[in-house]
Amino acid sequence: SGFTGSAGDLVITARSAGLWTDGRYFLQAGEQLSGTGIKLFKMGNKGVAKQKFEQAASMQSDLFEPRLYLSRIAFEAGDAAGAHRWATQAVALYPHHYGAQFIDGRALDALGKPREAVERYNAVLQLAPEQSSERQYCEARIAELSGTATKP
C-alpha cells in the first residue's frame, strides 16, 4: 500500500482496497495512498467501523467476529431484522457462543417471534456463566413470554 504508519488495517478484494487507520495517521495515510486506488477509511468517523466489518464479512464467509459485531450494532441501532440476519450467521459458525445466541434471541423477540426467541434464550441458559447478566435477562424474559411461548 505504501502506508508506513504503525496502526492500520489493509483489506484488499478483487474489486477494491481500503486502509483503516486512526486520527494520528489521517494526513500521512492520505498522502501515502494518493494515486494508489486504495480508499482511506478514517476510524472514529461515524459508520467507518461498521464498513470495515461489513467488508470483512463479505470477503470471507467463515469469519465469526465481524458477524457478531454487526449483529450487536444493528440491534443497538434498532434494526432487529439486520441483527437477526447477522446473529443467525454468527450462531451457524459458532453455536456455543452465548453472546451470539443472546443477540439473536433479543432480535427475534423484537421481531415478535417469541417461540424462536425462547429457543435462543434457552440456549443462553445452557451456555452462559451462572451469574451473567445475559442469563438473568433470559430467565426473566422466558418467564414474561410464558403466556405466548413455551419452553422447548
Side-chain angles (χ1 to χ4, degrees):
S1 74
F3 175 65
T4 60
S6 64
D9 293 316
L10 179 66
V11 176
I12 301 171
T13 70
R15 294 178 299 225
S16 64
L19 177 80
W20 284 260
T21 191
D22 61 49
R24 297 173 295 168
Y25 298 104
F26 290 171
L27 293 175
Q28 176 185 343
E31 291 170 3
Q32 292 177 338
L33 296 177
S34 180
T36 65
I38 299 170
K39 184 174 180 181
L40 173 60
F41 292 91
K42 298 177 178 179
M43 295 300 292
N45 290 352
K46 187 174 182 170
V48 172
K50 181 180 176 192
Q51 290 173 336
K52 178 180 178 182
F53 282 95
E54 286 173 337
Q55 181 95 359
S58 69
M59 287 174 56
Q60 195 166 346
S61 62
D62 64 346
L63 291 177
F64 170 78
E65 288 298 329
R67 286 164 175 76
L68 180 61
Y69 174 82
L70 289 166
S71 69
R72 287 180 176 154
I73 62 172
F75 188 79
E76 290 170 7
D79 179 8
H84 172 58
R85 179 171 53 92
W86 289 113
T88 298
Q89 293 176 28
V91 168
L93 290 169
Y94 192 9
H96 300 296
H97 192 283
Y98 73 88
Q101 296 278 0
F102 180 69
I103 293 292
D104 200 25
R106 301 266 326 258
L108 288 162
D109 205 347
L111 290 169
K113 298 182 177 185
R115 182 182 198 97
E116 294 93 336
V118 167
E119 289 175 12
R120 291 294 194 217
Y121 292 153
N122 277 319
V124 173
L125 294 181
Q126 293 175 358
L127 299 168
E130 286 294 321
Q131 299 302 317
S132 71
S133 59
E134 293 90 352
R135 183 181 186 85
Q136 293 169 2
Y137 177 91
C138 291
E139 288 170 344
R141 201 63 193 120
I142 289 169
E144 291 172 18
L145 293 171
S146 64
T148 57
T150 59
K151 290 183 183 178

